[in-house]
Structures are given as C-alpha cells and as structure tokens.
Amino acid sequence: ASSGRDKGFGFIAPDDSTLGDLFVHVSELRDARANGLERGDRVRFEVKHNREKGKNLAIEVIVEKSGGGSGRRKGKDSRDRGGGGGGGRRGG
C-alpha cells in the first residue's frame, strides 16, 4: 500500500483481502485524538463504494489500537463488498 500522508490520505489493508486496499482521507477519521494514521494502526471503518471511480473506500474510521501491532483486528465485523463495517491495518 502507499501513502500520501502529507496530503491527508492513505490506504487501509482490510482483514478481508477481497476488498483490496481501501482509500482513506483524514476527514473520515472519527477519533478526536487522531490527526492521521500510522503503519500498523488497527482501525474500524465502514466501506463505501465510489461509483464514479468504481472503487471502495473507508469511511467513519476509528482507531482501535495505535501503531506497531503486527496482528489484525479481531471480533465483530461485517465486511460485505456493498457496505458494512470492517477492520484492518493502515498500510504504508
């Protein structure tokens, strides 16, 4: 995955690899203390399909555990392609 952190965007590698890397913009971070994502952050998010670009993106992103962890989020998730929530890690 790649990052454009200086420009306020990046990509999330969801636990469900069939979704592919998801674009995320800093404006979608819902955690008041998060002004960006770090590699290894565990996040919870919703998946929205951008019809214009034909790609999925992460919205309503909440940091569940900060950086450095090698594991991925476990627990509740519904990562269907058309919507629903998901978990994953910030790629880099």
Side-chain angles (χ1 to χ4, degrees):
S2 60
S3 173
R5 184 174 176 175
D6 294 341
K7 296 181 180 173
F9 68 89
F11 294 88
I12 294 174
D15 290 343
D16 181 351
S17 62
T18 64
L19 292 173
D21 288 347
L22 301 173
F23 176 85
V24 62
H25 190 270
V26 69
S27 65
E28 290 297 334
L29 297 178
R30 299 298 179 240
D31 190 335
R33 68 184 187 278
N35 60 359
L37 297 175
E38 298 293 331
R39 183 180 182 97
D41 283 354
R42 290 170 147 180
V43 297
R44 182 180 58 198
F45 55 90
E46 297 291 320
V47 177
K48 179 179 178 184
H49 186 73
N50 181 328
R51 292 175 196 224
E52 182 179 311
K53 296 193 177 197
K55 297 183 179 185
N56 291 325
L57 54 115
I59 61 170
E60 303 290 328
V61 179
I62 298 171
V63 176
E64 291 190 332
K65 184 174 179 184
S66 293
S70 61
R72 292 188 177 190
R73 189 181 83 76
K74 302 289 183 201
K76 177 187 166 210
D77 75 70
S78 59
R79 298 183 201 122
D80 295 331
R81 207 171 251 285
R89 292 184 298 150
R90 162 68 176 84

